PDB file of all heavy atoms in Angstrom:
ATOM      1  N   VAL G   1     117.981 102.664  64.039  1.00 89.00           N
ATOM      2  CA  VAL G   1     117.973 101.389  64.722  1.00 89.00           C
ATOM      3  C   VAL G   1     116.475 100.827  64.890  1.00 89.00           C
ATOM      4  O   VAL G   1     116.461  99.706  64.625  1.00 89.00           O
ATOM      5  CB  VAL G   1     118.769 101.537  66.197  1.00 89.00           C
ATOM      6  CG1 VAL G   1     118.608 100.269  67.000  1.00 89.00           C
ATOM      7  CG2 VAL G   1     120.245 101.908  65.942  1.00 89.00           C
ATOM      8  N   ILE G   2     115.642 101.645  65.341  1.00 89.00           N
ATOM      9  CA  ILE G   2     114.296 101.153  65.482  1.00 89.00           C
ATOM     10  C   ILE G   2     113.768 100.719  64.075  1.00 89.00           C
ATOM     11  O   ILE G   2     113.106  99.687  64.071  1.00 89.00           O
ATOM     12  CB  ILE G   2     113.491 102.300  66.190  1.00 89.00           C
ATOM     13  CG1 ILE G   2     113.818 102.454  67.650  1.00 89.00           C
ATOM     14  CG2 ILE G   2     111.946 101.891  66.066  1.00 89.00           C
ATOM     15  CD1 ILE G   2     113.426 101.476  68.550  1.00 89.00           C
ATOM     16  N   ARG G   3     114.042 101.529  63.135  1.00 91.00           N
ATOM     17  CA  ARG G   3     113.567 101.153  61.764  1.00 91.00           C
ATOM     18  C   ARG G   3     114.068  99.797  61.417  1.00 91.00           C
ATOM     19  O   ARG G   3     113.313  98.939  60.690  1.00 91.00           O
ATOM     20  CB  ARG G   3     113.728 102.298  60.778  1.00 91.00           C
ATOM     21  CG  ARG G   3     112.850 103.535  60.869  1.00 91.00           C
ATOM     22  CD  ARG G   3     112.939 104.347  59.716  1.00 91.00           C
ATOM     23  NE  ARG G   3     114.247 104.827  59.443  1.00 91.00           N
ATOM     24  CZ  ARG G   3     114.741 105.934  59.956  1.00 91.00           C
ATOM     25  NH1 ARG G   3     114.107 106.683  60.783  1.00 91.00           N
ATOM     26  NH2 ARG G   3     116.100 106.325  59.763  1.00 91.00           N
ATOM     27  N   MET G   4     115.384  99.686  61.569  1.00 93.00           N
ATOM     28  CA  MET G   4     116.074  98.410  61.141  1.00 93.00           C
ATOM     29  C   MET G   4     115.429  97.225  61.901  1.00 93.00           C
ATOM     30  O   MET G   4     115.135  96.138  61.315  1.00 93.00           O
ATOM     31  CB  MET G   4     117.502  98.431  61.463  1.00 93.00           C
ATOM     32  CG  MET G   4     118.392  97.374  60.946  1.00 93.00           C
ATOM     33  SD  MET G   4     120.097  97.645  61.244  1.00 93.00           S
ATOM     34  CE  MET G   4     120.417  99.257  60.308  1.00 93.00           C
ATOM     35  N   LEU G   5     115.199  97.368  63.237  1.00 95.00           N
ATOM     36  CA  LEU G   5     114.742  96.201  64.054  1.00 95.00           C
ATOM     37  C   LEU G   5     113.178  95.957  63.673  1.00 95.00           C
ATOM     38  O   LEU G   5     112.797  94.819  63.764  1.00 95.00           O
ATOM     39  CB  LEU G   5     114.832  96.587  65.545  1.00 95.00           C
ATOM     40  CG  LEU G   5     116.219  96.681  66.048  1.00 95.00           C
ATOM     41  CD1 LEU G   5     116.089  96.921  67.600  1.00 95.00           C
ATOM     42  CD2 LEU G   5     116.983  95.495  65.829  1.00 95.00           C
ATOM     43  N   SER G   6     112.568  96.920  63.087  1.00 94.00           N
ATOM     44  CA  SER G   6     111.068  96.736  62.644  1.00 94.00           C
ATOM     45  C   SER G   6     111.000  95.811  61.605  1.00 94.00           C
ATOM     46  O   SER G   6     109.905  95.335  61.338  1.00 94.00           O
ATOM     47  CB  SER G   6     110.486  98.087  62.496  1.00 94.00           C
ATOM     48  OG  SER G   6     110.945  98.607  61.252  1.00 94.00           O
ATOM     49  N   LYS G   7     112.073  95.637  60.881  1.00 96.00           N
ATOM     50  CA  LYS G   7     112.069  94.765  59.676  1.00 96.00           C
ATOM     51  C   LYS G   7     112.045  93.297  59.985  1.00 96.00           C
ATOM     52  O   LYS G   7     111.708  92.296  59.059  1.00 96.00           O
ATOM     53  CB  LYS G   7     113.267  95.022  58.698  1.00 96.00           C
ATOM     54  CG  LYS G   7     113.400  96.488  58.353  1.00 96.00           C
ATOM     55  CD  LYS G   7     112.315  96.960  57.392  1.00 96.00           C
ATOM     56  CE  LYS G   7     112.579  98.394  56.819  1.00 96.00           C
ATOM     57  NZ  LYS G   7     111.518  98.873  56.000  1.00 96.00           N
ATOM     58  N   PHE G   8     112.426  92.926  61.189  1.00 97.00           N
ATOM     59  CA  PHE G   8     112.453  91.438  61.607  1.00 97.00           C
ATOM     60  C   PHE G   8     111.243  90.963  62.216  1.00 97.00           C
ATOM     61  O   PHE G   8     110.445  91.776  62.664  1.00 97.00           O
ATOM     62  CB  PHE G   8     113.567  91.310  62.651  1.00 97.00           C
ATOM     63  CG  PHE G   8     114.941  91.429  62.037  1.00 97.00           C
ATOM     64  CD1 PHE G   8     115.453  92.646  61.773  1.00 97.00           C
ATOM     65  CD2 PHE G   8     115.708  90.369  61.606  1.00 97.00           C
ATOM     66  CE1 PHE G   8     116.804  92.945  61.340  1.00 97.00           C
ATOM     67  CE2 PHE G   8     116.981  90.562  61.136  1.00 97.00           C
ATOM     68  CZ  PHE G   8     117.512  91.636  60.978  1.00 97.00           C
ATOM     69  N   ASP G   9     110.803  89.704  61.888  1.00 95.00           N
ATOM     70  CA  ASP G   9     109.644  89.158  62.346  1.00 95.00           C
ATOM     71  C   ASP G   9     109.421  89.212  63.841  1.00 95.00           C
ATOM     72  O   ASP G   9     108.340  89.391  64.323  1.00 95.00           O
ATOM     73  CB  ASP G   9     109.486  87.609  61.862  1.00 95.00           C
ATOM     74  CG  ASP G   9     109.531  87.479  60.354  1.00 95.00           C
ATOM     75  OD1 ASP G   9     109.286  88.526  59.745  1.00 95.00           O
ATOM     76  OD2 ASP G   9     109.754  86.316  59.860  1.00 95.00           O
ATOM     77  N   SER G  10     110.508  88.909  64.519  1.00 95.00           N
ATOM     78  CA  SER G  10     110.550  88.821  66.046  1.00 95.00           C
ATOM     79  C   SER G  10     111.899  89.294  66.564  1.00 95.00           C
ATOM     80  O   SER G  10     112.912  88.771  66.182  1.00 95.00           O
ATOM     81  CB  SER G  10     110.245  87.436  66.447  1.00 95.00           C
ATOM     82  OG  SER G  10     110.186  87.282  67.837  1.00 95.00           O
ATOM     83  N   VAL G  11     111.819  90.280  67.603  1.00 96.00           N
ATOM     84  CA  VAL G  11     112.844  90.787  68.230  1.00 96.00           C
ATOM     85  C   VAL G  11     112.580  90.708  69.734  1.00 96.00           C
ATOM     86  O   VAL G  11     111.667  91.263  70.237  1.00 96.00           O
ATOM     87  CB  VAL G  11     113.242  92.189  67.904  1.00 96.00           C
ATOM     88  CG1 VAL G  11     114.402  92.747  68.605  1.00 96.00           C
ATOM     89  CG2 VAL G  11     113.323  92.263  66.368  1.00 96.00           C
ATOM     90  N   PHE G  12     113.659  90.083  70.450  1.00 95.00           N
ATOM     91  CA  PHE G  12     113.531  90.248  71.948  1.00 95.00           C
ATOM     92  C   PHE G  12     114.546  91.197  72.445  1.00 95.00           C
ATOM     93  O   PHE G  12     115.827  90.969  72.106  1.00 95.00           O
ATOM     94  CB  PHE G  12     113.862  88.766  72.555  1.00 95.00           C
ATOM     95  CG  PHE G  12     112.840  87.850  72.188  1.00 95.00           C
ATOM     96  CD1 PHE G  12     112.911  87.098  70.995  1.00 95.00           C
ATOM     97  CD2 PHE G  12     111.681  87.437  73.021  1.00 95.00           C
ATOM     98  CE1 PHE G  12     112.054  86.139  70.601  1.00 95.00           C
ATOM     99  CE2 PHE G  12     110.841  86.534  72.678  1.00 95.00           C
ATOM    100  CZ  PHE G  12     110.885  85.823  71.524  1.00 95.00           C
ATOM    101  N   ILE G  13     114.185  92.159  73.146  1.00 95.00           N
ATOM    102  CA  ILE G  13     115.159  93.137  73.799  1.00 95.00           C
ATOM    103  C   ILE G  13     115.345  92.827  75.261  1.00 95.00           C
ATOM    104  O   ILE G  13     114.312  93.052  76.014  1.00 95.00           O
ATOM    105  CB  ILE G  13     114.671  94.608  73.523  1.00 95.00           C
ATOM    106  CG1 ILE G  13     114.639  94.963  72.026  1.00 95.00           C
ATOM    107  CG2 ILE G  13     115.350  95.657  74.283  1.00 95.00           C
ATOM    108  CD1 ILE G  13     115.993  95.006  71.385  1.00 95.00           C
ATOM    109  N   GLN G  14     116.447  92.688  75.687  1.00 94.00           N
ATOM    110  CA  GLN G  14     116.799  92.538  76.977  1.00 94.00           C
ATOM    111  C   GLN G  14     117.364  93.971  77.460  1.00 94.00           C
ATOM    112  O   GLN G  14     118.605  94.260  77.138  1.00 94.00           O
ATOM    113  CB  GLN G  14     117.936  91.505  77.223  1.00 94.00           C
ATOM    114  CG  GLN G  14     117.782  90.172  76.434  1.00 94.00           C
ATOM    115  CD  GLN G  14     116.542  89.454  76.783  1.00 94.00           C
ATOM    116  OE1 GLN G  14     115.891  89.657  77.943  1.00 94.00           O
ATOM    117  NE2 GLN G  14     115.933  88.713  75.941  1.00 94.00           N
ATOM    118  N   PHE G  15     116.544  94.769  78.014  1.00 96.00           N
ATOM    119  CA  PHE G  15     116.884  96.128  78.275  1.00 96.00           C
ATOM    120  C   PHE G  15     117.402  96.345  79.674  1.00 96.00           C
ATOM    121  O   PHE G  15     116.757  95.994  80.733  1.00 96.00           O
ATOM    122  CB  PHE G  15     115.624  96.962  78.207  1.00 96.00           C
ATOM    123  CG  PHE G  15     115.737  98.497  78.240  1.00 96.00           C
ATOM    124  CD1 PHE G  15     115.833  99.086  76.958  1.00 96.00           C
ATOM    125  CD2 PHE G  15     115.948  99.104  79.300  1.00 96.00           C
ATOM    126  CE1 PHE G  15     115.788 100.484  76.886  1.00 96.00           C
ATOM    127  CE2 PHE G  15     116.104 100.513  79.269  1.00 96.00           C
ATOM    128  CZ  PHE G  15     116.021 101.191  78.033  1.00 96.00           C
ATOM    129  N   SER G  16     118.688  96.703  79.869  1.00 97.00           N
ATOM    130  CA  SER G  16     119.372  96.592  81.108  1.00 97.00           C
ATOM    131  C   SER G  16     119.088  98.040  81.889  1.00 97.00           C
ATOM    132  O   SER G  16     119.222  99.003  81.329  1.00 97.00           O
ATOM    133  CB  SER G  16     120.954  96.581  80.834  1.00 97.00           C
ATOM    134  OG  SER G  16     121.267  95.384  80.284  1.00 97.00           O
ATOM    135  N   MET G  17     118.608  97.765  83.089  1.00 97.00           N
ATOM    136  CA  MET G  17     118.467  98.888  84.005  1.00 97.00           C
ATOM    137  C   MET G  17     118.776  98.488  85.405  1.00 97.00           C
ATOM    138  O   MET G  17     118.332  97.424  85.887  1.00 97.00           O
ATOM    139  CB  MET G  17     116.985  99.204  83.882  1.00 97.00           C
ATOM    140  CG  MET G  17     116.498 100.409  84.792  1.00 97.00           C
ATOM    141  SD  MET G  17     114.693 100.775  84.725  1.00 97.00           S
ATOM    142  CE  MET G  17     114.408 101.230  83.006  1.00 97.00           C
ATOM    143  N   CYS G  18     119.466  99.187  86.041  1.00 97.00           N
ATOM    144  CA  CYS G  18     120.103  98.811  87.432  1.00 97.00           C
ATOM    145  C   CYS G  18     119.571  99.717  88.564  1.00 97.00           C
ATOM    146  O   CYS G  18     120.058  99.561  89.574  1.00 97.00           O
ATOM    147  CB  CYS G  18     121.451  98.705  87.370  1.00 97.00           C
ATOM    148  SG  CYS G  18     122.088  97.263  86.495  1.00 97.00           S
ATOM    149  N   GLY G  19     118.570 100.515  88.279  1.00 97.00           N
ATOM    150  CA  GLY G  19     118.127 101.341  89.420  1.00 97.00           C
ATOM    151  C   GLY G  19     117.202 102.506  88.726  1.00 97.00           C
ATOM    152  O   GLY G  19     117.097 102.495  87.514  1.00 97.00           O
ATOM    153  N   ILE G  20     116.774 103.297  89.538  1.00 98.00           N
ATOM    154  CA  ILE G  20     115.912 104.492  89.146  1.00 98.00           C
ATOM    155  C   ILE G  20     116.581 105.701  89.304  1.00 98.00           C
ATOM    156  O   ILE G  20     117.173 105.872  90.353  1.00 98.00           O
ATOM    157  CB  ILE G  20     114.538 104.486  89.892  1.00 98.00           C
ATOM    158  CG1 ILE G  20     113.840 103.038  89.742  1.00 98.00           C
ATOM    159  CG2 ILE G  20     113.547 105.629  89.335  1.00 98.00           C
ATOM    160  CD1 ILE G  20     113.542 102.696  88.289  1.00 98.00           C
ATOM    161  N   GLY G  21     116.742 106.534  88.331  1.00 97.00           N
ATOM    162  CA  GLY G  21     117.354 107.727  88.438  1.00 97.00           C
ATOM    163  C   GLY G  21     118.800 107.723  88.654  1.00 97.00           C
ATOM    164  O   GLY G  21     119.520 107.049  87.994  1.00 97.00           O
ATOM    165  N   TYR G  22     119.277 108.475  89.675  1.00 98.00           N
ATOM    166  CA  TYR G  22     120.820 108.465  89.994  1.00 98.00           C
ATOM    167  C   TYR G  22     121.361 107.167  90.215  1.00 98.00           C
ATOM    168  O   TYR G  22     122.505 106.937  89.796  1.00 98.00           O
ATOM    169  CB  TYR G  22     121.086 109.448  91.104  1.00 98.00           C
ATOM    170  CG  TYR G  22     122.515 109.633  91.349  1.00 98.00           C
ATOM    171  CD1 TYR G  22     123.279 110.576  90.641  1.00 98.00           C
ATOM    172  CD2 TYR G  22     123.254 108.930  92.373  1.00 98.00           C
ATOM    173  CE1 TYR G  22     124.629 110.783  90.808  1.00 98.00           C
ATOM    174  CE2 TYR G  22     124.620 109.119  92.625  1.00 98.00           C
ATOM    175  CZ  TYR G  22     125.324 110.054  91.811  1.00 98.00           C
ATOM    176  OH  TYR G  22     126.632 110.153  91.935  1.00 98.00           O
ATOM    177  N   THR G  23     120.720 106.267  90.831  1.00 98.00           N
ATOM    178  CA  THR G  23     121.294 104.901  91.145  1.00 98.00           C
ATOM    179  C   THR G  23     121.628 104.266  89.892  1.00 98.00           C
ATOM    180  O   THR G  23     122.760 103.638  89.772  1.00 98.00           O
ATOM    181  CB  THR G  23     120.188 104.073  91.869  1.00 98.00           C
ATOM    182  OG1 THR G  23     120.063 104.734  93.215  1.00 98.00           O
ATOM    183  CG2 THR G  23     120.739 102.688  92.204  1.00 98.00           C
ATOM    184  N   ASN G  24     120.674 104.280  88.907  1.00 98.00           N
ATOM    185  CA  ASN G  24     121.070 103.678  87.575  1.00 98.00           C
ATOM    186  C   ASN G  24     122.304 104.300  86.972  1.00 98.00           C
ATOM    187  O   ASN G  24     123.274 103.609  86.478  1.00 98.00           O
ATOM    188  CB  ASN G  24     119.954 103.724  86.555  1.00 98.00           C
ATOM    189  CG  ASN G  24     120.183 103.016  85.267  1.00 98.00           C
ATOM    190  OD1 ASN G  24     120.172 101.927  85.033  1.00 98.00           O
ATOM    191  ND2 ASN G  24     120.609 103.914  84.315  1.00 98.00           N
ATOM    192  N   ASP G  25     122.334 105.712  86.968  1.00 98.00           N
ATOM    193  CA  ASP G  25     123.396 106.365  86.189  1.00 98.00           C
ATOM    194  C   ASP G  25     124.753 106.228  87.075  1.00 98.00           C
ATOM    195  O   ASP G  25     125.864 106.235  86.489  1.00 98.00           O
ATOM    196  CB  ASP G  25     123.133 107.870  86.170  1.00 98.00           C
ATOM    197  CG  ASP G  25     121.942 108.110  85.269  1.00 98.00           C
ATOM    198  OD1 ASP G  25     121.497 107.116  84.580  1.00 98.00           O
ATOM    199  OD2 ASP G  25     121.463 109.183  85.163  1.00 98.00           O
ATOM    200  N   TYR G  26     124.719 105.909  88.445  1.00 98.00           N
ATOM    201  CA  TYR G  26     125.814 105.721  89.201  1.00 98.00           C
ATOM    202  C   TYR G  26     126.467 104.350  88.824  1.00 98.00           C
ATOM    203  O   TYR G  26     127.649 104.257  88.600  1.00 98.00           O
ATOM    204  CB  TYR G  26     125.446 105.754  90.637  1.00 98.00           C
ATOM    205  CG  TYR G  26     126.656 105.432  91.622  1.00 98.00           C
ATOM    206  CD1 TYR G  26     127.463 106.448  92.053  1.00 98.00           C
ATOM    207  CD2 TYR G  26     126.944 104.183  92.028  1.00 98.00           C
ATOM    208  CE1 TYR G  26     128.454 106.178  92.917  1.00 98.00           C
ATOM    209  CE2 TYR G  26     128.048 103.842  92.934  1.00 98.00           C
ATOM    210  CZ  TYR G  26     128.713 104.920  93.374  1.00 98.00           C
ATOM    211  OH  TYR G  26     129.784 104.557  94.213  1.00 98.00           O
ATOM    212  N   ILE G  27     125.656 103.338  88.800  1.00 98.00           N
ATOM    213  CA  ILE G  27     126.103 101.972  88.414  1.00 98.00           C
ATOM    214  C   ILE G  27     126.462 101.837  86.856  1.00 98.00           C
ATOM    215  O   ILE G  27     127.605 101.380  86.719  1.00 98.00           O
ATOM    216  CB  ILE G  27     124.979 100.881  88.703  1.00 98.00           C
ATOM    217  CG1 ILE G  27     124.693 100.816  90.279  1.00 98.00           C
ATOM    218  CG2 ILE G  27     125.449  99.573  88.329  1.00 98.00           C
ATOM    219  CD1 ILE G  27     123.566 100.157  90.686  1.00 98.00           C
ATOM    220  N   ARG G  28     125.672 102.354  86.073  1.00 98.00           N
ATOM    221  CA  ARG G  28     125.719 102.250  84.646  1.00 98.00           C
ATOM    222  C   ARG G  28     126.319 103.624  84.160  1.00 98.00           C
ATOM    223  O   ARG G  28     125.652 104.315  83.368  1.00 98.00           O
ATOM    224  CB  ARG G  28     124.482 101.888  83.963  1.00 98.00           C
ATOM    225  CG  ARG G  28     123.876 100.528  84.575  1.00 98.00           C
ATOM    226  CD  ARG G  28     122.591 100.154  83.775  1.00 98.00           C
ATOM    227  NE  ARG G  28     122.941  99.728  82.426  1.00 98.00           N
ATOM    228  CZ  ARG G  28     123.541  98.514  82.065  1.00 98.00           C
ATOM    229  NH1 ARG G  28     123.849  97.617  82.973  1.00 98.00           N
ATOM    230  NH2 ARG G  28     123.790  98.313  80.754  1.00 98.00           N
ATOM    231  N   TYR G  29     127.665 103.801  84.498  1.00 97.00           N
ATOM    232  CA  TYR G  29     128.233 104.919  84.298  1.00 97.00           C
ATOM    233  C   TYR G  29     128.327 105.354  82.718  1.00 97.00           C
ATOM    234  O   TYR G  29     128.699 104.437  81.913  1.00 97.00           O
ATOM    235  CB  TYR G  29     129.796 104.870  84.761  1.00 97.00           C
ATOM    236  CG  TYR G  29     130.662 106.096  84.467  1.00 97.00           C
ATOM    237  CD1 TYR G  29     130.258 107.242  85.063  1.00 97.00           C
ATOM    238  CD2 TYR G  29     131.791 105.945  83.780  1.00 97.00           C
ATOM    239  CE1 TYR G  29     131.197 108.413  84.878  1.00 97.00           C
ATOM    240  CE2 TYR G  29     132.635 107.066  83.498  1.00 97.00           C
ATOM    241  CZ  TYR G  29     132.382 108.333  84.098  1.00 97.00           C
ATOM    242  OH  TYR G  29     132.943 109.448  83.821  1.00 97.00           O
ATOM    243  N   GLY G  30     127.910 106.525  82.373  1.00 96.00           N
ATOM    244  CA  GLY G  30     127.619 106.857  81.017  1.00 96.00           C
ATOM    245  C   GLY G  30     126.120 107.092  80.568  1.00 96.00           C
ATOM    246  O   GLY G  30     125.841 107.680  79.642  1.00 96.00           O
ATOM    247  N   ALA G  31     125.361 106.432  81.515  1.00 96.00           N
ATOM    248  CA  ALA G  31     123.890 106.462  81.220  1.00 96.00           C
ATOM    249  C   ALA G  31     123.236 107.782  81.546  1.00 96.00           C
ATOM    250  O   ALA G  31     123.904 108.466  82.523  1.00 96.00           O
ATOM    251  CB  ALA G  31     123.277 105.397  82.011  1.00 96.00           C
ATOM    252  N   ASP G  32     122.189 108.152  80.992  1.00 96.00           N
ATOM    253  CA  ASP G  32     121.341 109.292  81.366  1.00 96.00           C
ATOM    254  C   ASP G  32     119.885 108.690  81.631  1.00 96.00           C
ATOM    255  O   ASP G  32     119.250 108.229  80.678  1.00 96.00           O
ATOM    256  CB  ASP G  32     121.315 110.275  80.275  1.00 96.00           C
ATOM    257  CG  ASP G  32     120.579 111.424  80.466  1.00 96.00           C
ATOM    258  OD1 ASP G  32     119.296 111.425  80.828  1.00 96.00           O
ATOM    259  OD2 ASP G  32     121.106 112.651  80.569  1.00 96.00           O
ATOM    260  N   TRP G  33     119.436 108.843  82.910  1.00 97.00           N
ATOM    261  CA  TRP G  33     118.243 108.221  83.163  1.00 97.00           C
ATOM    262  C   TRP G  33     116.992 108.697  82.301  1.00 97.00           C
ATOM    263  O   TRP G  33     116.236 107.912  81.911  1.00 97.00           O
ATOM    264  CB  TRP G  33     117.855 108.379  84.731  1.00 97.00           C
ATOM    265  CG  TRP G  33     116.496 108.109  84.984  1.00 97.00           C
ATOM    266  CD1 TRP G  33     115.470 109.024  85.262  1.00 97.00           C
ATOM    267  CD2 TRP G  33     115.958 106.711  85.074  1.00 97.00           C
ATOM    268  NE1 TRP G  33     114.247 108.235  85.442  1.00 97.00           N
ATOM    269  CE2 TRP G  33     114.491 106.862  85.277  1.00 97.00           C
ATOM    270  CE3 TRP G  33     116.483 105.535  84.840  1.00 97.00           C
ATOM    271  CZ2 TRP G  33     113.720 105.753  85.429  1.00 97.00           C
ATOM    272  CZ3 TRP G  33     115.618 104.393  84.935  1.00 97.00           C
ATOM    273  CH2 TRP G  33     114.252 104.532  85.163  1.00 97.00           C
ATOM    274  N   ASN G  34     117.000 109.981  82.088  1.00 95.00           N
ATOM    275  CA  ASN G  34     115.809 110.572  81.352  1.00 95.00           C
ATOM    276  C   ASN G  34     115.794 109.961  79.986  1.00 95.00           C
ATOM    277  O   ASN G  34     114.730 109.610  79.460  1.00 95.00           O
ATOM    278  CB  ASN G  34     115.864 112.175  81.219  1.00 95.00           C
ATOM    279  CG  ASN G  34     115.721 112.661  82.661  1.00 95.00           C
ATOM    280  OD1 ASN G  34     114.822 112.262  83.409  1.00 95.00           O
ATOM    281  ND2 ASN G  34     116.399 113.824  82.919  1.00 95.00           N
ATOM    282  N   GLU G  35     117.010 109.765  79.279  1.00 94.00           N
ATOM    283  CA  GLU G  35     117.004 109.179  77.993  1.00 94.00           C
ATOM    284  C   GLU G  35     116.707 107.713  78.104  1.00 94.00           C
ATOM    285  O   GLU G  35     116.140 107.220  77.184  1.00 94.00           O
ATOM    286  CB  GLU G  35     118.480 109.377  77.437  1.00 94.00           C
ATOM    287  CG  GLU G  35     118.790 110.845  77.023  1.00 94.00           C
ATOM    288  CD  GLU G  35     120.223 110.883  76.452  1.00 94.00           C
ATOM    289  OE1 GLU G  35     120.911 109.899  76.257  1.00 94.00           O
ATOM    290  OE2 GLU G  35     120.537 112.108  76.224  1.00 94.00           O
ATOM    291  N   LEU G  36     117.065 107.105  79.136  1.00 95.00           N
ATOM    292  CA  LEU G  36     116.758 105.680  79.308  1.00 95.00           C
ATOM    293  C   LEU G  36     115.265 105.356  79.400  1.00 95.00           C
ATOM    294  O   LEU G  36     114.740 104.471  78.840  1.00 95.00           O
ATOM    295  CB  LEU G  36     117.565 105.095  80.553  1.00 95.00           C
ATOM    296  CG  LEU G  36     117.551 103.632  80.760  1.00 95.00           C
ATOM    297  CD1 LEU G  36     118.618 102.839  79.716  1.00 95.00           C
ATOM    298  CD2 LEU G  36     117.954 103.219  82.147  1.00 95.00           C
ATOM    299  N   ASP G  37     114.691 106.303  80.186  1.00 95.00           N
ATOM    300  CA  ASP G  37     113.190 106.116  80.408  1.00 95.00           C
ATOM    301  C   ASP G  37     112.438 106.309  79.010  1.00 95.00           C
ATOM    302  O   ASP G  37     111.541 105.453  78.749  1.00 95.00           O
ATOM    303  CB  ASP G  37     112.731 107.215  81.295  1.00 95.00           C
ATOM    304  CG  ASP G  37     111.262 107.183  81.756  1.00 95.00           C
ATOM    305  OD1 ASP G  37     110.726 105.982  81.772  1.00 95.00           O
ATOM    306  OD2 ASP G  37     110.697 108.182  81.912  1.00 95.00           O
ATOM    307  N   VAL G  38     112.848 107.222  78.227  1.00 93.00           N
ATOM    308  CA  VAL G  38     112.298 107.389  76.917  1.00 93.00           C
ATOM    309  C   VAL G  38     112.530 106.198  76.003  1.00 93.00           C
ATOM    310  O   VAL G  38     111.610 105.652  75.386  1.00 93.00           O
ATOM    311  CB  VAL G  38     112.815 108.660  76.242  1.00 93.00           C
ATOM    312  CG1 VAL G  38     112.401 108.728  74.801  1.00 93.00           C
ATOM    313  CG2 VAL G  38     112.399 109.869  77.053  1.00 93.00           C
ATOM    314  N   ALA G  39     113.765 105.659  76.056  1.00 93.00           N
ATOM    315  CA  ALA G  39     114.130 104.642  75.123  1.00 93.00           C
ATOM    316  C   ALA G  39     113.337 103.302  75.591  1.00 93.00           C
ATOM    317  O   ALA G  39     112.857 102.528  74.722  1.00 93.00           O
ATOM    318  CB  ALA G  39     115.550 104.278  75.380  1.00 93.00           C
ATOM    319  N   TYR G  40     113.067 103.053  76.903  1.00 93.00           N
ATOM    320  CA  TYR G  40     112.426 101.875  77.380  1.00 93.00           C
ATOM    321  C   TYR G  40     110.847 101.907  76.723  1.00 93.00           C
ATOM    322  O   TYR G  40     110.426 100.892  76.170  1.00 93.00           O
ATOM    323  CB  TYR G  40     112.315 101.892  78.810  1.00 93.00           C
ATOM    324  CG  TYR G  40     111.531 100.677  79.459  1.00 93.00           C
ATOM    325  CD1 TYR G  40     112.071  99.405  79.541  1.00 93.00           C
ATOM    326  CD2 TYR G  40     110.266 100.851  79.825  1.00 93.00           C
ATOM    327  CE1 TYR G  40     111.413  98.396  80.085  1.00 93.00           C
ATOM    328  CE2 TYR G  40     109.458  99.744  80.361  1.00 93.00           C
ATOM    329  CZ  TYR G  40     110.111  98.507  80.499  1.00 93.00           C
ATOM    330  OH  TYR G  40     109.399  97.493  80.891  1.00 93.00           O
TER     331      TYR G  40
END
């Protein structure tokens, strides 16, 4: 995915995050905070 997006001249990423740690994972069910932090 990253390699594909790198081919475009300009990309705006709206990165959804609704809290830190457990709060984010509680609201955004299915998320893993540690993976999200790395992705950001």
Side-chain angles (χ1 to χ4, degrees):
V1 171
I2 292 290
R3 285 194 299 273
M4 187 178 298
L5 295 179
S6 71
K7 304 292 185 182
F8 288 82
D9 295 346
S10 179
V11 180
F12 296 84
I13 292 291
Q14 317 298 336
F15 193 99
S16 297
M17 182 186 294
C18 285
I20 305 302
Y22 185 80
T23 298
N24 180 80
D25 296 353
Y26 179 90
I27 296 171
R28 304 186 65 77
Y29 180 61
D32 181 300
W33 168 255
N34 293 324
E35 293 180 2
L36 191 75
D37 183 34
V38 171
Y40 180 80

